[in-house]
Amino acid sequence: MVAAENALDSTCFRANNPKLNFTVNQTPEILLFAGRLHPLLVHLPIGMIIVLALLEMIAWLPRYQNANASAGFILLVATPLTVVTVVCGWLLSLGGGYDESTLAWHKWLGIVTAVGTVTAAVCYRTGRRAAYHASLFATFVVLGATGHLGGSLTHGSDYLTRYAPGFVKKILGVTPAEKIPAPTAVKDFQQLPVFAGVILPVMEHTCSNCHGVAKAKAALRLDSFAAVLKGGENGAVVKPGDAAGSALVQRLLLPLDSDDHMPPAGKPQPTADEIALLKWWIVTGAVENKTIAELQPPADIRQLLAHRFDIPATVP
Ligand code: HEC
């Protein structure tokens, strides 16, 4: 029932907005369903291949030479699982909304992983030990890269490192994301420019991976004031003064399972508070340089801002 209502909402939304002629996903639902098994299945063959590689390594020690006794059984289960997982991954990719170059690498390395596993299984069955070991260890290495790219696809490339301690970021060569200086004094808080201090950081967190320098999906960039106001391939996405009429807000408010929902399902989503702040910024005219004090937030927005910057909400 809820799903039906959502679908209806989304259809009406489309019909009422002839300017927003999005591409509708044509993939049959059963295939999209099978695709969504990918994140569920994927950890099984990964675990099995890792365990098998470890057992084979340990079996090199004379003391543990029987460690690989169950290799045949592990391969029997892991090989078909790997192939099914790769096929499901490919189906999942048909749903779209992924970073294209990461997806391409992930897809091809996933295929190499499946081919490697099949090769290892065949070599094992036919008694070619050296070739079996070579293909197993090659698959093990490729698997690491494939898994990492898969994680980046669903969670964003900085998922792992975003909250890492400074020294870990240094080792990995990650430049720490610019933090908005937390305004300590109330005066600073009030002087914070709304766009640069509140709105842009939300977009940088949830939109700029796909709407930024590297990728600009739908020719839309959301990484500067000028770009946000310029809009995308279907024109402006922000109508100053009219939040409900702004495509940017409409997309955020669509049900998560709608194909047109932004950010696409599975990607980091802005919180309800952040959406409320975005709407407020648009309602107040979507200007670039006004400070919080100048835009005179109403009580509820003031509370959200105070919460966001960790300032007692009672302060005007
Ligand atoms: C994972 C990638 C991804 C992320 C993250 C993402 N988008 Fe998109 N966005 C797309 C793709 C792909 C399209 C084009 C397909 C479509 O129109 O649905 C698009 C299209 C749009 C459009 C339509 C532009 C036009 O001119 O047609 C808007 C508006 C939009 N996104 C807003 C956002 C906002 C706001 C965020 C962040 C809160 C966001 N997107 C995050 C991938 C993404």
Side-chain angles (χ1 to χ4, degrees):
M1 186 59 206
V2 173
E5 274 169 10
N6 285 349
L8 195 66
D9 276 1
S10 152
T11 324
C12 294
F13 169 71
R14 232 191 278 271
N16 295 337
N17 291 273
K19 251 185 90 190
L20 307 166
N21 55 339
F22 330 116
T23 35
V24 183
N25 203 324
Q26 301 291 359
T27 316
E29 286 195 353
I30 184 70
L31 295 186
L32 291 176
F33 167 72
R36 292 196 173 192
L37 295 175
H38 178 72
L40 193 83
L41 285 177
V42 72
H43 300 99
L44 276 165
I46 292 179
M48 290 184 155
I49 292 168
I50 292 175
V51 164
L52 185 57
L54 289 177
L55 290 176
E56 289 292 353
M57 278 188 249
I58 293 171
W60 269 315
L61 302 171
R63 221 181 125 183
Y64 298 106
Q65 54 184 341
N66 293 329
N68 57 2
S70 46
F73 173 73
I74 296 177
L75 282 167
L76 191 69
V77 182
T79 308
L81 261 179
T82 308
V83 174
V84 170
T85 302
V86 169
V87 172
C88 288
W90 174 69
L91 291 175
L92 181 63
S93 74
L94 299 180
Y98 296 96
D99 178 280
E100 277 153 36
S101 79
T102 314
L103 178 63
W105 276 102
H106 178 66
K107 181 164 79 184
W108 285 109
L109 292 180
I111 291 171
V112 171
T113 306
V115 171
T117 314
V118 172
T119 311
V122 169
C123 293
Y124 181 86
R125 285 274 146 204
T126 52
R128 276 171 276 193
R129 305 297 287 176
Y132 159 61
H133 279 137
S135 39
L136 176 63
F137 291 118
T139 305
F140 177 68
V141 172
V142 174
L143 182 68
T146 315
H148 173 70
L149 291 172
S152 302
L153 278 177
T154 22
H155 304 297
S157 55
D158 66 343
Y159 180 71
L160 199 59
T161 51
R162 180 177 288 263
Y163 300 109
F167 77 93
V168 175
K169 284 188 179 149
K170 217 171 186 172
I171 295 170
L172 296 176
V174 182
T175 33
E178 252 181 76
K179 282 213 175 108
I180 346 153
T184 42
V186 174
K187 191 167 160 284
D188 291 346
F189 165 61
Q190 295 280 24
Q191 295 317 313
L192 203 64
V194 172
F195 181 76
V198 181
I199 302 306
L200 197 55
V202 172
M203 292 184 179
E204 272 169 355
H205 185 201
T206 52
C207 316
S208 309
N209 264 359
C210 299
H211 298 289
V213 206
K215 298 258 133 38
K217 297 285 161 85
L220 174 64
R221 281 177 63 168
L222 297 173
D223 56 354
S224 71
F225 177 78
V228 172
L229 269 264
K230 180 164 162 266
E233 63 190 14
N234 291 306
V237 296
V238 166
K239 259 197 207 169
D242 180 7
S246 297
L248 187 144
V249 172
Q250 292 168 344
R251 294 278 195 138
L252 294 173
L253 296 180
L254 282 174
L256 187 61
D257 60 0
S258 156
D259 289 338
D260 301 321
H261 176 87
M262 284 292 142
K267 306 290 174 241
Q269 302 289 321
T271 62
D273 288 3
E274 288 172 338
I275 295 178
L277 291 170
L278 283 171
K279 283 161 81 176
W280 168 63
W281 170 69
I282 295 178
V283 168
T284 53
V287 289
E288 180 173 14
N289 287 322
K290 290 253 166 82
T291 61
I292 291 178
E294 283 168 325
L295 290 186
Q296 301 177 345
D300 53 340
I301 294 294
R302 209 161 54 219
Q303 195 147 17
L304 293 184
L305 287 165
H307 182 71
R308 191 167 184 82
F309 295 109
D310 231 358
I311 283 168
T314 45
V315 178

